[in-house]
Amino acid sequence: MSPLQHGPTVPTGSPRQVAVIGAGMVGLSCAWFLQEAGVQVTVYERDSVGAGASWGNAGWLTPALTAPLPEPAVLRYGLRAVTSPRSPVYLPLRADRTLLRFLGGFVAHSTARRWRRGMAAYVPLNARALEAFDVLAAGGVMAPTHRATSFLACFRHEREAGHLRTELERIRDTGQDVRFDPITARQARALEPTLTDQVGAAVQLHGQRYLHPPEYVRSLALAVRARGGELVEGVDVATLQARMDGATVVTTTGEHQRHDAIVVATGAELGRLAGPFGVRQPVQAGRGYSFSVPVEQMPRGPLYFPAQRVACTPLGSRLRVAGMMEFRRPDEPLDPRRIAAVVDAVRPFLTAVDLDDRRNEWVGSRPCTPDGLPLAGATASPRVFVAGGHGMWGIVLGPLTGQLVAQTVLKGEAPPELAPLDPLR
Ligand SMILES: Cc1cc2nc3c(=O)[nH]c(=O)nc-3n(C[C@H](O)[C@H](O)[C@H](O)COP(=O)(O)OP(=O)(O)OC[C@H]3O[C@@H](n4cnc5c(N)ncnc54)[C@H](O)[C@@H]3O)c2cc1C
């Protein structure tokens, strides 16, 4: 029988007991904001808190850079570049069905017109993204977000810096708040002595923040538990069943748990549970790598190497280095060649950073959609909701998504910001 057993009718009364599947940034944010309205939540996580992409990412809270991934410049990369294992974007030659559907849609969306349409969806979200972190902080989430007093994008050549400036201006033209200054290589090195003389130009971004991803998701999980939420780790959800009066989580061990509603927030694996409820957009893993290294003098803020597609973030006493976009299945093992490629890409630009003393080597899956927009809101069942598909931006947009999806679950109606993110599009 289809999981959608009685058709999409809006249920009467707000749900009081809601299950969230997935304890990443997005799922935990949904749980927290549902609790704000007095809902009792149960979060099911097949592994442990933050086991997915929400752990090893760069932790940037950068609304100024938050834009759809498909854009005309991506296509200029060409097939040769993306099939080399050392390229910062890697596409295996052996493709599966999800990947082929994803790529077809991605190419179709990589036009200037569609990018502008995607930006129109992002602008109102980006305007509120940081505020949602302040709501979490005021509500007792202890892990801090840091204001980036320095946030530098670094380049070997002035010409490359020019490309980023043009891109930022394009983003600003869509109505987004983007503040930046071009600075000389000398000024960049004065700000961040860890940069070498291979940096030939830089752009300083203003008004952005960053966080320590593992600390932050742990702290969010603690807050959900402290407010009476149940967080069940080590439980793999096999399927969902929806009826008029509620929805049931069925685990891989055959247990059934009934809830008033369910929010699917399973990151790069969203399609498996959400597909039967009319969510047709493929969610493809865009795998990224990271590791941490010791530094003699910690940079004052994040460092970005756009041409190499590498992000560096101060995390406690070590520097996290993250990069690479590899379109492979989420469960494939870490490929050491990608770590080596990231190391080689940044080595020329950093001094007094021991890139060979690496810890916490990690691979994780960005949940990417073909149009570069998240999937957030109701499905074909009035009892099943979806929150995910944020690609490169699920940390910065996680809390706001949680806030808006919680409103949708409670009111049975999506706020206007979610209209372009309709999971049934
Ligand atoms: C290298 C890298 C750098 C990044 N940098 C940034 C950045 O600087 N800023 C930013 O905003 N974003 C960044 N991102 C993207 C960001 O990490 C993701 O968009 C975000 O973490 C997605 O969160 P999520 O909660 O949707 O998914 P996830 O964190 O992947 O969580 C999904 C959870 O669901 C669980 N799960 C899956 N299936 C099931 C099931 N059947 N039953 C139970 N549980 C299940 C998983 O175990 C997982 O814990 C980066 C990503 C990478 C890879």
Side-chain angles (χ1 to χ4, degrees):
M1 191 187 298
S2 147
L4 186 67
Q5 293 177 345
H6 291 279
T9 318
V10 178
T12 49
S14 272
R16 291 172 189 284
Q17 211 299 325
V18 176
V20 176
I21 323 289
M25 184 65 153
V26 176
L28 290 169
S29 298
C30 290
W32 194 93
F33 279 102
L34 283 163
Q35 289 178 316
E36 277 292 269
V39 172
Q40 175 61 39
V41 296
T42 305
V43 181
Y44 293 88
E45 166 56 52
R46 74 170 168 206
D47 195 322
S48 54
V49 164
S54 299
W55 195 260
N57 61 78
W60 291 5
L61 309 182
T62 45
L65 300 176
T66 302
L69 184 59
E71 49 132 355
V74 171
L75 294 188
R76 273 182 244 131
Y77 237 74
L79 193 61
R80 181 131 47 101
V82 297
T83 51
S84 155
R86 304 192 71 76
S87 157
V89 180
Y90 179 67
L91 187 62
L93 284 169
R94 187 169 39 91
D96 59 31
R97 235 179 107 234
T98 306
L99 179 54
L100 289 173
R101 280 183 62 218
F102 167 79
L103 288 175
F106 190 89
V107 168
H109 281 91
S110 295
T111 65
R113 192 172 58 84
R114 297 227 179 154
W115 179 84
R116 277 195 302 275
R117 203 198 293 166
M119 267 318 294
Y122 270 114
V123 170
L125 298 172
N126 292 342
R128 294 179 53 190
L130 297 181
E131 250 171 62
F133 284 90
D134 297 336
V135 176
L136 290 174
V141 176
M142 302 297 281
T145 62
H146 306 283
R147 286 173 202 278
T149 47
S150 158
F151 198 123
L152 295 188
C154 307
F155 304 88
R156 202 185 283 277
H157 306 292
E158 166 51 36
R159 174 173 40 84
E160 296 166 331
H163 290 156
L164 181 72
R165 292 199 299 271
T166 309
E167 202 180 309
L168 293 174
E169 275 154 17
R170 248 181 346 126
I171 294 179
R172 188 157 61 191
D173 289 347
T174 65
Q176 180 134 329
D177 177 26
V178 183
R179 281 164 288 140
F180 64 95
D181 288 310
I183 60 171
T184 64
R186 188 189 291 263
Q187 287 170 321
R189 278 194 297 278
L191 278 168
E192 298 289 13
T194 198
L195 296 172
T196 67
D197 60 7
Q198 293 297 304
V199 172
V203 172
Q204 185 168 28
L205 275 168
H206 304 291
Q208 310 302 294
R209 300 192 206 173
Y210 62 100
L211 51 71
H212 187 307
E215 261 178 21
Y216 199 88
V217 281
R218 259 195 306 252
S219 173
L220 191 48
L222 268 177
V224 168
R225 277 202 170 111
R227 285 147 59 106
E230 202 187 347
L231 221 161
V232 222
E233 294 171 281
V235 172
D236 194 350
V237 176
T239 180
L240 309 175
Q241 296 171 348
R243 293 188 172 76
M244 270 307 289
D245 60 345
T248 302
V249 165
V250 183
T251 68
T252 49
T253 51
E255 280 164 60
H256 288 56
Q257 289 293 336
R258 187 209 164 274
H259 302 273
D260 293 339
I262 296 174
V263 179
V264 183
T266 48
E269 301 189 48
L270 203 83
R272 193 159 64 81
L273 294 179
F277 298 95
V279 179
R280 297 278 166 256
Q281 291 278 322
V283 178
Q284 168 65 42
R287 303 199 327 160
Y289 286 72
S290 73
F291 52 83
S292 74
V293 287
V295 289
E296 270 170 33
Q297 189 181 341
M298 185 56 83
R300 294 168 357 141
L303 299 173
Y304 179 26
F305 299 94
Q308 290 70 26
R309 289 182 159 70
V310 175
C312 301
T313 312
L315 288 200
S317 61
R318 294 172 75 87
L319 186 69
R320 176 171 281 179
V321 182
M324 193 58 69
M325 176 69 91
E326 182 192 52
F327 292 117
R328 287 170 78 180
R329 288 164 46 98
D331 52 358
E332 291 195 38
L334 178 148
D335 185 338
R337 291 176 303 175
R338 310 281 183 266
I339 297 274
V342 173
V343 170
D344 292 349
V346 286
R347 201 186 285 283
F349 302 109
L350 297 175
T351 180
V353 174
D354 188 353
L355 287 162
D356 300 317
D357 180 8
R358 295 187 295 278
R359 283 195 208 147
N360 315 112
E361 290 188 346
W362 174 90
V363 60
S365 296
R366 302 175 186 89
C368 298
T369 57
D371 60 6
L373 292 178
L375 299 161
T379 67
S381 162
R383 298 289 180 175
V384 179
F385 300 80
V386 161
H390 295 80
M392 315 228 301
W393 304 117
I395 298 302
V396 59
L397 292 179
L400 178 64
T401 302
Q403 198 173 25
L404 298 173
V405 169
Q407 279 175 33
T408 312
V409 174
L410 291 163
K411 297 195 179 144
E413 193 183 315
E417 293 94 326
L418 289 192
L421 315 188
D422 182 355
L424 302 179
R425 66 185 182 269

